[in-house]
mmCIF file of all heavy atoms in Angstrom:
data_model
loop_
_atom_site.group_PDB
_atom_site.id
_atom_site.type_symbol
_atom_site.label_atom_id
_atom_site.label_comp_id
_atom_site.label_asym_id
_atom_site.label_seq_id
_atom_site.Cartn_x
_atom_site.Cartn_y
_atom_site.Cartn_z
ATOM 1 N N VAL M 1 0.771 -1.238 -0.014
ATOM 2 C CA VAL M 1 -0.019 0.013 0.056
ATOM 3 C C VAL M 1 0.865 1.244 -0.003
ATOM 4 O O VAL M 1 0.768 2.180 -0.873
ATOM 5 C CB VAL M 1 -0.921 -0.043 1.172
ATOM 6 C CG1 VAL M 1 -1.725 1.295 1.253
ATOM 7 C CG2 VAL M 1 -1.943 -1.162 1.166
ATOM 8 N N ILE M 2 1.755 1.392 1.002
ATOM 9 C CA ILE M 2 2.389 2.671 1.206
ATOM 10 C C ILE M 2 3.502 2.952 0.031
ATOM 11 O O ILE M 2 3.355 4.041 -0.519
ATOM 12 C CB ILE M 2 3.162 2.678 2.570
ATOM 13 C CG1 ILE M 2 2.143 2.561 3.632
ATOM 14 C CG2 ILE M 2 3.892 3.993 2.752
ATOM 15 C CD1 ILE M 2 2.748 2.383 5.071
ATOM 16 N N GLN M 3 4.353 2.079 -0.216
ATOM 17 C CA GLN M 3 5.328 2.181 -1.263
ATOM 18 C C GLN M 3 4.768 2.433 -2.617
ATOM 19 O O GLN M 3 5.194 3.267 -3.206
ATOM 20 C CB GLN M 3 6.354 1.007 -1.259
ATOM 21 C CG GLN M 3 7.181 0.921 -0.025
ATOM 22 C CD GLN M 3 8.005 -0.406 0.016
ATOM 23 O OE1 GLN M 3 7.893 -1.218 -0.756
ATOM 24 N NE2 GLN M 3 8.839 -0.425 1.075
ATOM 25 N N PRO M 4 3.777 1.666 -2.998
ATOM 26 C CA PRO M 4 3.207 1.934 -4.338
ATOM 27 C C PRO M 4 2.540 3.369 -4.373
ATOM 28 O O PRO M 4 2.684 4.101 -5.420
ATOM 29 C CB PRO M 4 2.094 0.816 -4.554
ATOM 30 C CG PRO M 4 2.631 -0.267 -3.706
ATOM 31 C CD PRO M 4 3.242 0.407 -2.457
ATOM 32 N N LEU M 5 1.895 3.740 -3.379
ATOM 33 C CA LEU M 5 1.249 5.048 -3.432
ATOM 34 C C LEU M 5 2.213 6.181 -3.468
ATOM 35 O O LEU M 5 2.066 7.245 -4.210
ATOM 36 C CB LEU M 5 0.361 5.247 -2.272
ATOM 37 C CG LEU M 5 -1.062 4.567 -2.201
ATOM 38 C CD1 LEU M 5 -1.742 4.709 -0.859
ATOM 39 C CD2 LEU M 5 -1.939 5.422 -3.196
ATOM 40 N N ILE M 6 3.312 6.065 -2.624
ATOM 41 C CA ILE M 6 4.308 7.098 -2.696
ATOM 42 C C ILE M 6 5.067 7.199 -4.086
ATOM 43 O O ILE M 6 5.236 8.254 -4.674
ATOM 44 C CB ILE M 6 5.435 6.754 -1.644
ATOM 45 C CG1 ILE M 6 4.865 6.967 -0.141
ATOM 46 C CG2 ILE M 6 6.693 7.633 -1.878
ATOM 47 C CD1 ILE M 6 5.783 6.463 0.904
ATOM 48 N N GLY M 7 5.234 6.021 -4.737
ATOM 49 C CA GLY M 7 5.773 6.006 -6.026
ATOM 50 C C GLY M 7 4.903 6.705 -7.090
ATOM 51 O O GLY M 7 5.306 7.464 -7.930
ATOM 52 N N GLU M 8 3.649 6.471 -6.981
ATOM 53 C CA GLU M 8 2.698 7.098 -7.945
ATOM 54 C C GLU M 8 2.648 8.459 -7.782
ATOM 55 O O GLU M 8 2.598 9.320 -8.738
ATOM 56 C CB GLU M 8 1.239 6.552 -7.605
ATOM 57 C CG GLU M 8 1.086 5.031 -7.977
ATOM 58 C CD GLU M 8 -0.270 4.470 -7.460
ATOM 59 O OE1 GLU M 8 -1.168 5.342 -7.142
ATOM 60 O OE2 GLU M 8 -0.423 3.267 -7.468
ATOM 61 N N LEU M 9 2.656 9.100 -6.547
ATOM 62 C CA LEU M 9 2.615 10.457 -6.222
ATOM 63 C C LEU M 9 3.860 11.104 -6.775
ATOM 64 O O LEU M 9 3.899 12.248 -7.422
ATOM 65 C CB LEU M 9 2.431 10.706 -4.760
ATOM 66 C CG LEU M 9 1.056 10.463 -4.198
ATOM 67 C CD1 LEU M 9 1.051 10.595 -2.713
ATOM 68 C CD2 LEU M 9 -0.002 11.245 -4.836
ATOM 69 N N ILE M 10 5.124 10.566 -6.568
ATOM 70 C CA ILE M 10 6.327 11.202 -6.903
ATOM 71 C C ILE M 10 6.319 11.184 -8.458
ATOM 72 O O ILE M 10 6.862 12.133 -9.057
ATOM 73 C CB ILE M 10 7.484 10.499 -6.251
ATOM 74 C CG1 ILE M 10 7.530 10.727 -4.811
ATOM 75 C CG2 ILE M 10 8.806 11.007 -6.834
ATOM 76 C CD1 ILE M 10 8.640 10.002 -4.128
ATOM 77 N N ASP M 11 5.881 10.115 -9.046
ATOM 78 C CA ASP M 11 5.854 10.042 -10.592
ATOM 79 C C ASP M 11 5.100 11.153 -11.194
ATOM 80 O O ASP M 11 5.476 11.714 -12.227
ATOM 81 C CB ASP M 11 5.200 8.777 -11.050
ATOM 82 C CG ASP M 11 6.040 7.495 -10.844
ATOM 83 O OD1 ASP M 11 7.244 7.691 -10.641
ATOM 84 O OD2 ASP M 11 5.521 6.519 -10.859
ATOM 85 N N GLY M 12 4.157 11.778 -10.354
ATOM 86 C CA GLY M 12 3.310 12.792 -10.941
ATOM 87 C C GLY M 12 3.996 14.217 -11.025
ATOM 88 O O GLY M 12 3.569 15.044 -11.713
ATOM 89 N N PHE M 13 5.032 14.404 -10.320
ATOM 90 C CA PHE M 13 5.765 15.707 -10.257
ATOM 91 C C PHE M 13 7.226 15.650 -10.464
ATOM 92 O O PHE M 13 7.917 16.734 -10.635
ATOM 93 C CB PHE M 13 5.342 16.452 -9.027
ATOM 94 C CG PHE M 13 5.719 15.877 -7.663
ATOM 95 C CD1 PHE M 13 7.083 15.794 -7.305
ATOM 96 C CD2 PHE M 13 4.753 15.294 -6.918
ATOM 97 C CE1 PHE M 13 7.356 15.180 -6.019
ATOM 98 C CE2 PHE M 13 5.105 14.756 -5.737
ATOM 99 C CZ PHE M 13 6.362 14.750 -5.376
ATOM 100 N N ALA M 14 7.863 14.528 -10.307
ATOM 101 C CA ALA M 14 9.384 14.437 -10.401
ATOM 102 C C ALA M 14 9.975 15.181 -11.517
ATOM 103 O O ALA M 14 11.037 15.854 -11.319
ATOM 104 C CB ALA M 14 9.755 12.973 -10.266
ATOM 105 N N ASP M 15 9.592 14.876 -12.736
ATOM 106 C CA ASP M 15 10.118 15.534 -13.940
ATOM 107 C C ASP M 15 10.013 16.885 -14.010
ATOM 108 O O ASP M 15 10.558 17.660 -14.822
ATOM 109 C CB ASP M 15 9.671 14.734 -15.195
ATOM 110 C CG ASP M 15 10.140 13.313 -15.191
ATOM 111 O OD1 ASP M 15 11.236 12.940 -14.505
ATOM 112 O OD2 ASP M 15 9.450 12.449 -15.895
ATOM 113 N N ALA M 16 8.995 17.525 -13.357
ATOM 114 C CA ALA M 16 8.639 18.950 -13.427
ATOM 115 C C ALA M 16 9.711 19.725 -12.857
ATOM 116 O O ALA M 16 9.899 20.917 -13.190
ATOM 117 C CB ALA M 16 7.318 19.217 -12.898
ATOM 118 N N GLY M 17 10.404 19.251 -11.821
ATOM 119 C CA GLY M 17 11.479 20.019 -11.173
ATOM 120 C C GLY M 17 10.963 20.928 -10.067
ATOM 121 O O GLY M 17 11.736 21.622 -9.380
ATOM 122 N N SER M 18 9.685 21.032 -9.930
ATOM 123 C CA SER M 18 9.084 21.783 -8.852
ATOM 124 C C SER M 18 7.718 21.225 -8.447
ATOM 125 O O SER M 18 7.132 20.545 -9.240
ATOM 126 C CB SER M 18 8.927 23.253 -9.292
ATOM 127 O OG SER M 18 8.003 23.312 -10.320
ATOM 128 N N ALA M 19 7.301 21.443 -7.188
ATOM 129 C CA ALA M 19 5.996 20.930 -6.743
ATOM 130 C C ALA M 19 5.748 21.628 -5.360
ATOM 131 O O ALA M 19 6.648 22.086 -4.770
ATOM 132 C CB ALA M 19 5.986 19.551 -6.529
ATOM 133 N N ASP M 20 4.470 21.631 -5.151
ATOM 134 C CA ASP M 20 4.059 22.061 -3.736
ATOM 135 C C ASP M 20 3.911 20.711 -2.959
ATOM 136 O O ASP M 20 2.833 20.016 -3.163
ATOM 137 C CB ASP M 20 2.723 22.719 -3.758
ATOM 138 C CG ASP M 20 2.235 23.225 -2.297
ATOM 139 O OD1 ASP M 20 2.821 22.728 -1.331
ATOM 140 O OD2 ASP M 20 1.223 23.940 -2.239
ATOM 141 N N LEU M 21 4.902 20.490 -2.145
ATOM 142 C CA LEU M 21 4.944 19.182 -1.494
ATOM 143 C C LEU M 21 3.867 18.900 -0.402
ATOM 144 O O LEU M 21 3.632 17.841 -0.051
ATOM 145 C CB LEU M 21 6.285 18.926 -0.897
ATOM 146 C CG LEU M 21 7.412 18.706 -1.885
ATOM 147 C CD1 LEU M 21 8.817 18.434 -1.236
ATOM 148 C CD2 LEU M 21 7.145 17.667 -2.945
ATOM 149 N N MET M 22 3.077 20.038 -0.019
ATOM 150 C CA MET M 22 1.945 19.857 0.795
ATOM 151 C C MET M 22 0.822 19.372 -0.026
ATOM 152 O O MET M 22 0.180 18.389 0.134
ATOM 153 C CB MET M 22 1.624 21.055 1.581
ATOM 154 C CG MET M 22 2.430 21.313 2.795
ATOM 155 S SD MET M 22 2.449 19.932 4.035
ATOM 156 C CE MET M 22 0.793 19.892 4.483
ATOM 157 N N ALA M 23 0.410 20.199 -1.179
ATOM 158 C CA ALA M 23 -0.802 19.936 -1.936
ATOM 159 C C ALA M 23 -0.614 18.732 -2.839
ATOM 160 O O ALA M 23 -1.525 18.008 -2.940
ATOM 161 C CB ALA M 23 -1.011 21.222 -2.851
ATOM 162 N N ASP M 24 0.560 18.557 -3.364
ATOM 163 C CA ASP M 24 0.871 17.440 -4.300
ATOM 164 C C ASP M 24 1.196 16.151 -3.716
ATOM 165 O O ASP M 24 1.234 15.102 -4.313
ATOM 166 C CB ASP M 24 1.834 17.890 -5.325
ATOM 167 C CG ASP M 24 1.466 19.152 -6.190
ATOM 168 O OD1 ASP M 24 0.227 19.335 -6.288
ATOM 169 O OD2 ASP M 24 2.362 19.877 -6.589
ATOM 170 N N PHE M 25 1.644 16.215 -2.393
ATOM 171 C CA PHE M 25 2.188 14.964 -1.796
ATOM 172 C C PHE M 25 1.721 14.655 -0.365
ATOM 173 O O PHE M 25 0.943 13.782 -0.206
ATOM 174 C CB PHE M 25 3.745 15.103 -1.765
ATOM 175 C CG PHE M 25 4.444 13.797 -1.463
ATOM 176 C CD1 PHE M 25 4.336 12.750 -2.332
ATOM 177 C CD2 PHE M 25 5.195 13.742 -0.365
ATOM 178 C CE1 PHE M 25 5.002 11.498 -1.981
ATOM 179 C CE2 PHE M 25 5.864 12.603 0.013
ATOM 180 C CZ PHE M 25 5.765 11.500 -0.746
ATOM 181 N N ALA M 26 2.057 15.551 0.594
ATOM 182 C CA ALA M 26 1.729 15.341 2.023
ATOM 183 C C ALA M 26 0.223 15.168 2.230
ATOM 184 O O ALA M 26 -0.165 14.195 2.943
ATOM 185 C CB ALA M 26 2.292 16.394 2.802
ATOM 186 N N ARG M 27 -0.623 15.910 1.625
ATOM 187 C CA ARG M 27 -2.022 15.845 1.815
ATOM 188 C C ARG M 27 -2.773 14.669 0.974
ATOM 189 O O ARG M 27 -3.836 14.429 1.200
ATOM 190 C CB ARG M 27 -2.659 17.183 1.485
ATOM 191 C CG ARG M 27 -2.388 18.302 2.484
ATOM 192 C CD ARG M 27 -3.425 19.512 2.290
ATOM 193 N NE ARG M 27 -3.011 20.528 3.204
ATOM 194 C CZ ARG M 27 -2.433 21.648 2.863
ATOM 195 N NH1 ARG M 27 -2.006 21.782 1.449
ATOM 196 N NH2 ARG M 27 -2.009 22.592 3.687
ATOM 197 N N ARG M 28 -1.860 14.085 0.044
ATOM 198 C CA ARG M 28 -2.508 13.115 -0.713
ATOM 199 C C ARG M 28 -2.030 11.629 -0.509
ATOM 200 O O ARG M 28 -2.456 10.747 -1.219
ATOM 201 C CB ARG M 28 -2.173 13.513 -2.275
ATOM 202 C CG ARG M 28 -2.866 14.762 -2.705
ATOM 203 C CD ARG M 28 -2.872 15.032 -4.138
ATOM 204 N NE ARG M 28 -3.685 16.124 -4.493
ATOM 205 C CZ ARG M 28 -4.991 16.044 -4.618
ATOM 206 N NH1 ARG M 28 -5.598 14.950 -4.569
ATOM 207 N NH2 ARG M 28 -5.764 17.122 -4.973
ATOM 208 N N LEU M 29 -1.311 11.563 0.609
ATOM 209 C CA LEU M 29 -0.850 10.160 0.877
ATOM 210 C C LEU M 29 -1.585 9.534 2.121
ATOM 211 O O LEU M 29 -2.053 8.349 1.920
ATOM 212 C CB LEU M 29 0.691 10.182 1.164
ATOM 213 C CG LEU M 29 1.240 8.831 1.593
ATOM 214 C CD1 LEU M 29 1.198 7.820 0.507
ATOM 215 C CD2 LEU M 29 2.717 8.909 2.126
ATOM 216 N N PRO M 30 -1.726 10.136 3.232
ATOM 217 C CA PRO M 30 -2.192 9.368 4.383
ATOM 218 C C PRO M 30 -3.579 8.825 4.147
ATOM 219 O O PRO M 30 -3.937 7.691 4.618
ATOM 220 C CB PRO M 30 -2.116 10.398 5.519
ATOM 221 C CG PRO M 30 -1.121 11.307 5.122
ATOM 222 C CD PRO M 30 -1.229 11.445 3.669
ATOM 223 N N LEU M 31 -4.550 9.700 3.575
ATOM 224 C CA LEU M 31 -5.992 9.242 3.602
ATOM 225 C C LEU M 31 -6.049 8.068 2.615
ATOM 226 O O LEU M 31 -6.747 7.110 2.968
ATOM 227 C CB LEU M 31 -6.789 10.441 3.137
ATOM 228 C CG LEU M 31 -8.228 10.045 3.140
ATOM 229 C CD1 LEU M 31 -8.896 9.454 4.315
ATOM 230 C CD2 LEU M 31 -9.143 11.288 2.656
ATOM 231 N N PRO M 32 -5.442 8.069 1.373
ATOM 232 C CA PRO M 32 -5.530 6.913 0.519
ATOM 233 C C PRO M 32 -4.995 5.603 1.170
ATOM 234 O O PRO M 32 -5.490 4.490 1.018
ATOM 235 C CB PRO M 32 -4.775 7.271 -0.717
ATOM 236 C CG PRO M 32 -4.847 8.754 -0.781
ATOM 237 C CD PRO M 32 -4.908 9.132 0.673
ATOM 238 N N VAL M 33 -3.852 5.765 2.013
ATOM 239 C CA VAL M 33 -3.394 4.615 2.779
ATOM 240 C C VAL M 33 -4.450 4.095 3.645
ATOM 241 O O VAL M 33 -4.700 2.894 3.644
ATOM 242 C CB VAL M 33 -2.223 4.952 3.505
ATOM 243 C CG1 VAL M 33 -1.803 3.932 4.607
ATOM 244 C CG2 VAL M 33 -1.016 5.356 2.689
ATOM 245 N N MET M 34 -5.042 5.017 4.432
ATOM 246 C CA MET M 34 -6.239 4.500 5.391
ATOM 247 C C MET M 34 -7.364 3.950 4.560
ATOM 248 O O MET M 34 -7.882 2.900 4.980
ATOM 249 C CB MET M 34 -6.677 5.607 6.226
ATOM 250 C CG MET M 34 -5.631 6.300 7.194
ATOM 251 S SD MET M 34 -5.120 5.025 8.486
ATOM 252 C CE MET M 34 -3.885 6.060 9.312
ATOM 253 N N LEU M 35 -7.761 4.448 3.480
ATOM 254 C CA LEU M 35 -8.906 3.895 2.745
ATOM 255 C C LEU M 35 -8.559 2.534 2.151
ATOM 256 O O LEU M 35 -9.427 1.719 2.162
ATOM 257 C CB LEU M 35 -9.258 4.980 1.679
ATOM 258 C CG LEU M 35 -9.869 6.220 2.103
ATOM 259 C CD1 LEU M 35 -10.010 7.170 0.922
ATOM 260 C CD2 LEU M 35 -11.184 5.986 2.840
ATOM 261 N N ARG M 36 -7.302 2.385 1.649
ATOM 262 C CA ARG M 36 -6.907 1.072 1.176
ATOM 263 C C ARG M 36 -6.926 0.016 2.260
ATOM 264 O O ARG M 36 -7.268 -1.161 2.137
ATOM 265 C CB ARG M 36 -5.619 1.118 0.422
ATOM 266 C CG ARG M 36 -5.803 1.911 -0.863
ATOM 267 C CD ARG M 36 -4.497 1.734 -1.747
ATOM 268 N NE ARG M 36 -4.501 2.594 -2.927
ATOM 269 C CZ ARG M 36 -3.725 2.636 -3.907
ATOM 270 N NH1 ARG M 36 -2.667 1.826 -3.973
ATOM 271 N NH2 ARG M 36 -3.876 3.458 -4.962
ATOM 272 N N MET M 37 -6.501 0.464 3.505
ATOM 273 C CA MET M 37 -6.575 -0.469 4.612
ATOM 274 C C MET M 37 -7.927 -0.848 4.976
ATOM 275 O O MET M 37 -8.261 -2.045 5.443
ATOM 276 C CB MET M 37 -5.934 0.161 5.905
ATOM 277 C CG MET M 37 -4.408 0.163 5.671
ATOM 278 S SD MET M 37 -3.626 1.519 6.671
ATOM 279 C CE MET M 37 -4.403 1.237 8.308
ATOM 280 N N MET M 38 -8.880 0.019 4.745
ATOM 281 C CA MET M 38 -10.368 -0.318 5.038
ATOM 282 C C MET M 38 -10.999 -0.837 3.724
ATOM 283 O O MET M 38 -12.152 -1.279 3.777
ATOM 284 C CB MET M 38 -10.975 0.959 5.384
ATOM 285 C CG MET M 38 -10.647 1.467 6.831
ATOM 286 S SD MET M 38 -11.536 2.840 7.421
ATOM 287 C CE MET M 38 -10.879 4.197 6.334
#
């Protein structure tokens, strides 16, 4: 669950060279992890 989700999120912005790591990453990881656990 955790490693695949992290990989998917980083794939979405890595090549751009910039990102808002709160909006594009931090806020988009924990809830999907919990939802997949449920």
